[in-house]
């Protein structure tokens, strides 16, 4: 039976900021969702709140104005993605030394398979303590992590969630069912708000009541997810570690500081976003065939759709034109565009075949040169003249940081 | 209060093998003896390697930027309670 470990940094971005600046320790702080310049914007969200802020009711993904309303003394900091990715790399480096296999689950979470290296649960406990000590030495005492050890990913994550901050919870195989029964359904990775609400309508508000519902009933209501729910209620999960799993889609969405009201503004920001998506695609050496584009209006209603294309897409202009063909027929500028999102899917790890057209071939060689320039001088080394005046701030959250693309 | 800036500064450092530790910052004709190096992190600006030192004295937090290409130090952030 495998021995898996889940390591989760506590209040990650906020802890890193408190480590860097000791005057912030013990204070209610929050790190905004975007980089420098928008930390206190009314349209930013809380990417991470410190333990002190969480105790006052500030939650992750809460808008910064709402957080400030609940906790007026809250210090909102702009995120520093380069700092966070450096700390994440230290976590990965330490864990790689001890794990048979590693899956980076998010910017501050990893799953480790330690079956061979730990040999048994006693060995896994010692390993967890070693990793924690090394993390403290490498990242500082303010950066703490909770660790869960269990026979599968589901229970390992539940275990690490169960004691925060700086917890170490070991769930032996014979204790899995009893341990799972003590956890609330919302803590299960795979039970989101919608599933939780749907389960409530079936009378399942806890693990005990979920166990009382038959597998057939769950499958009838949730299809294949129903079978997973039935297993999860008993702490059963055989999901393997996703090591180097290829991306299924690459996308970028952005909430603007003020609503966009003209066709020109929407187009140039769509093009800037598409260039970001193209940059990530070139970084991963992939081309895509499906484009999804959507806008969110000022009143929070949404409009969008997706299209499958025969020709592979990889450059920003091509992606923007494809997205534009989806949005243009129905977009209503008068309602004010608050957010634009572009995603390319149906990805293939392949180079674009040589084109018959000279103009397209020229564009491909220009893109190659621009890519080289970006690698040497950074992500903002070039910009299309059309997108002049757009400024997409770097995201704090997520684990494919924008600055890593040019590296 | 947090202030973001990009001021050139002079920094006195101690060397420990391949590592350095900022000891004192001279900024605007004032000397700031440092008490603690809280965090050091690296970053890439294109192919250029940059190091950031998060340091503090008794009353100030400072973030120092060291450009390994030009060997220039800059003060990019200061926080005072």
């Amino acid at each position: 039976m495998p021995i898996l470990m889940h390591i989760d940094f506590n209040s990650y971005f906020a802890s890193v900021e408190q480590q860097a600046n000791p005057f912030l320790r013990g204070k209610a702080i929050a790190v905004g969702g975007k980089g420098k310049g928008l930390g206190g914007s009314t349209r930013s969200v809380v990417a991470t709140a410190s333990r002190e802020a969480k105790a006052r009711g500030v939650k992750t993904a809460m808008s910064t104005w709402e957080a400030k309303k609940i906790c007026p003394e809250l210090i909102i900091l702009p995120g520093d993605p380069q700092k966070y990715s450096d700390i994440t790399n230290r976590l990965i480096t330490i864990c790689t030394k001890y794990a048979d296999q590693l899956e980076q689950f998010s910017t501050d979470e990893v799953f480790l398979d330690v079956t061979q290296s730990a040999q048994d649960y006693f060995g896994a406990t010692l390993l967890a303590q070693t990793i924690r000590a090394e993390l403290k030495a490498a990242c500082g005492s303010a950066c703490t992590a909770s660790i869960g050890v269990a026979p599968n990913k589901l229970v390992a994550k539940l275990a690490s969630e169960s004691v925060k901050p700086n917890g170490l919870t070991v769930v032996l195989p014979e204790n899995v069912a009893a341990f799972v029964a003590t956890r609330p359904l919302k803590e299960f990775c795979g039970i989101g708000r919608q599933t939780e609400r749907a389960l409530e309508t079936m009378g399942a508000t806890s693990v005990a009541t979920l166990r009382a519902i038959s597998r057939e009933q769950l499958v009838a209501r949730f299809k294949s997810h129903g079978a997973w729910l039935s297993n999860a209620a008993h702490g059963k999960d055989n999901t393997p570690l996703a090591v180097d799993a290829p991306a299924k889609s690459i996308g970028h969405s952005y909430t603007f500081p003020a609503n966009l009201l003209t066709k020109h503004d929407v187009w140039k920001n769509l093009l800037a976003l598409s260039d970001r998506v193209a940059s990530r695609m070139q970084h991963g050496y992939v081309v895509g065939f499906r484009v999804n584009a959507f806008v969110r209006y000022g009143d929070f209603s949404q409009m969008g759709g997706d299209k499958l294309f025969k020709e592979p897409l990889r450059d920003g202009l091509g992606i923007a034109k494809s997205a534009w063909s989806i949005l243009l027929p129905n977009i209503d500028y008068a309602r004010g565009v608050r957010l634009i999102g572009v995603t390319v899917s149906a990805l293939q790890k392949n180079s674009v075949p040589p084109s018959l057209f000279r103009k397209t071939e020229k564009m491909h060689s220009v893109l190659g040169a621009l890519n080289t320039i970006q690698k040497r001088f950074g992500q903002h080394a070039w910009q299309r003249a059309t997108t002049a005046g757009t400024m997409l701030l770097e995201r704090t959250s997520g684990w494919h940081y924008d600055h890593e693309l040019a590296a | 209060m947090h202030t973001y800036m990009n001021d050139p500064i002079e920094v006195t450092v101690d060397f420990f093998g391949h590592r350095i530790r900022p000891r004192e910052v001279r900024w605007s004709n004032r000397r700031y003896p440092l008490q603690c190096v809280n965090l050091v992190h690296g970053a890439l600006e294109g192919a250029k390697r940059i190091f950031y030192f998060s340091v503090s004295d008794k009353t100030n937090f400072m973030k120092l930027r060291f450009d390994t290409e030009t060997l220039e130090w800059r003060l990019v952030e200061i926080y005072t309670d």
Side-chain angles (χ1 to χ4, degrees):
Chain A
M1 190 175 275
I3 304 173
L4 300 184
M5 193 182 285
H6 179 251
I7 305 177
D8 184 6
F9 268 121
N10 306 125
S11 305
Y12 184 46
F13 304 144
S15 300
V16 174
E17 292 300 338
Q18 286 178 325
Q19 174 58 41
N21 182 353
F23 300 105
L24 297 175
R25 292 178 199 168
K27 288 183 182 164
I29 70 162
V31 175
K34 293 202 178 86
K36 278 179 192 135
L38 212 67
S41 160
T42 51
R43 283 190 173 176
S44 182
V45 293
V46 172
T48 310
S50 67
R51 288 192 279 276
E52 297 79 7
K54 281 177 185 166
R56 288 166 176 78
V58 179
K59 288 177 183 163
T60 301
M62 186 180 260
S63 69
T64 47
W65 68 265
E66 199 183 346
K68 211 56 178 157
K69 205 171 148 189
I70 291 172
C71 179
E73 70 274 29
L74 185 72
I75 299 168
I76 300 173
L77 301 167
D80 187 347
Q82 293 187 323
K83 199 192 289 170
Y84 310 144
S85 64
D86 194 310
I87 300 290
T88 303
N89 289 339
R90 292 179 204 183
L91 169 72
I92 303 293
T93 306
I94 292 168
C95 292
T96 307
K97 281 198 290 185
Y98 299 108
D100 309 331
Q101 278 191 314
L102 179 146
E103 174 190 343
Q104 188 180 352
F105 194 60
S106 73
T107 190
D108 62 338
E109 284 177 83
V110 286
F111 282 105
L112 313 181
D113 184 337
V114 293
T115 315
Q116 300 295 323
S117 51
Q119 295 189 338
D120 56 20
Y121 279 84
F122 180 69
T125 310
L126 288 177
L127 210 57
Q129 284 171 337
T130 309
I131 289 173
R132 200 152 61 171
E134 286 200 23
L135 270 180
K136 190 180 172 185
C139 310
S141 56
C143 300
T144 59
S146 288
I147 305 180
V149 183
N152 60 52
K153 282 171 77 175
L154 174 79
V155 183
K157 188 160 164 59
L158 279 173
S160 72
E161 299 271 337
S162 68
V163 182
K164 284 188 171 182
N166 215 14
L168 170 57
T169 310
V170 180
V171 184
L172 299 174
E174 58 268 30
N175 299 335
V176 164
F179 171 76
V180 167
T182 64
R183 308 314 305 159
L185 289 178
K186 66 178 178 189
E187 273 190 15
F188 282 63
C189 184
I191 301 185
R193 267 191 207 164
Q194 275 190 330
T195 310
E196 200 185 350
R197 272 190 222 125
L199 284 171
E200 267 176 28
T201 61
M202 297 175 80
T205 53
S206 65
V207 172
T209 46
L210 177 59
R211 282 176 183 171
I213 301 173
S214 72
R215 189 183 183 88
E216 290 70 30
Q217 276 178 293
L218 288 169
V219 171
R221 174 70 180 79
F222 298 98
K223 302 199 168 58
S224 60
H225 194 52
W228 180 87
L229 284 168
S230 176
N231 287 336
H234 295 89
K236 292 177 192 164
D237 175 39
N238 53 12
T239 318
L241 255 60
V243 183
D244 296 328
K248 288 178 183 164
S249 64
I250 293 175
H252 207 108
S253 62
Y254 196 84
T255 303
F256 301 97
N259 290 348
L260 308 177
L261 297 162
T262 65
K263 187 178 177 181
H264 177 67
D265 277 346
V266 173
W267 164 249
K268 71 179 188 182
N269 281 288
L270 177 69
L271 185 53
L273 277 170
S274 301
D275 273 334
R276 286 280 175 95
V277 174
S279 176
R280 291 170 68 180
M281 288 170 69
Q282 282 157 24
H283 191 73
Y285 302 103
V286 290
V287 295
F289 290 87
R290 184 185 290 275
V291 173
N292 175 288
F294 73 98
V295 294
R296 185 175 295 153
Y297 294 113
D299 59 6
F300 285 88
S301 60
Q302 285 194 187
M303 185 281 290
D306 63 357
K307 252 187 194 177
L308 193 64
F309 295 88
K310 283 182 182 170
E311 293 295 315
L313 294 159
R314 74 159 193 176
D315 73 287
L317 186 60
I319 296 166
K321 280 182 178 170
S322 312
W324 196 235
S325 70
I326 297 165
L327 297 176
L328 195 59
N330 300 313
I331 195 164
D332 181 0
Y333 306 104
R335 290 163 73 186
V337 173
R338 179 188 166 89
L339 176 147
I340 303 176
V342 187
T343 302
V344 178
S345 55
L347 302 178
Q348 276 185 18
K349 212 157 179 88
N350 218 332
S351 59
V352 177
S355 173
L356 292 171
F357 304 104
R358 204 167 157 220
K359 193 179 168 189
T360 317
E361 267 307 284
K362 262 185 158 178
M363 175 56 84
H364 286 171
S365 58
V366 168
L367 282 173
L370 289 173
N371 212 13
T372 310
I373 289 171
Q374 215 171 34
K375 277 184 179 163
R376 173 68 184 88
F377 299 104
Q379 204 199 346
H380 302 289
W382 66 271
Q383 186 177 16
R384 289 176 200 272
T386 315
T387 63
T390 60
M391 194 177 74
L392 305 178
L393 295 167
E394 186 169 4
R395 299 160 303 160
T396 295
S397 49
W399 54 292
H400 292 296
Y401 293 113
D402 298 352
H403 67 264
E404 288 174 347
L405 302 176
Chain B
M1 200 184 77
H2 246 121
T3 313
Y4 297 94
M5 58 188 69
N6 194 24
D7 286 4
I9 50 168
E10 283 180 31
V11 181
T12 310
V13 300
D14 290 331
F15 283 84
F16 298 98
H18 294 295
R19 290 167 183 260
I20 56 166
R21 187 181 192 281
R23 199 170 52 170
E24 186 182 84
V25 169
R26 258 172 283 167
W27 173 50
S28 299
N29 297 322
R30 283 192 64 183
R31 292 165 56 165
Y32 295 86
L34 301 173
Q35 280 199 321
C36 197
V37 179
N38 307 300
L39 190 72
V40 182
H41 73 274
L44 282 172
E45 284 178 11
K48 195 199 280 189
R49 189 85 174 141
I50 305 290
F51 284 102
Y52 290 96
F53 293 80
S54 297
V55 298
S56 53
D57 63 9
K58 275 183 186 167
T59 48
N60 304 295
F61 155 75
M62 292 175 177
K63 188 168 158 189
L64 318 177
R65 178 185 187 276
F66 179 62
D67 185 327
T68 57
E69 212 168 85
T70 60
L71 303 182
E72 185 189 29
W73 287 90
R74 282 184 177 263
L75 176 63
V76 291
E77 202 177 315
I78 189 160
Y79 176 92
T80 311
D81 254 340

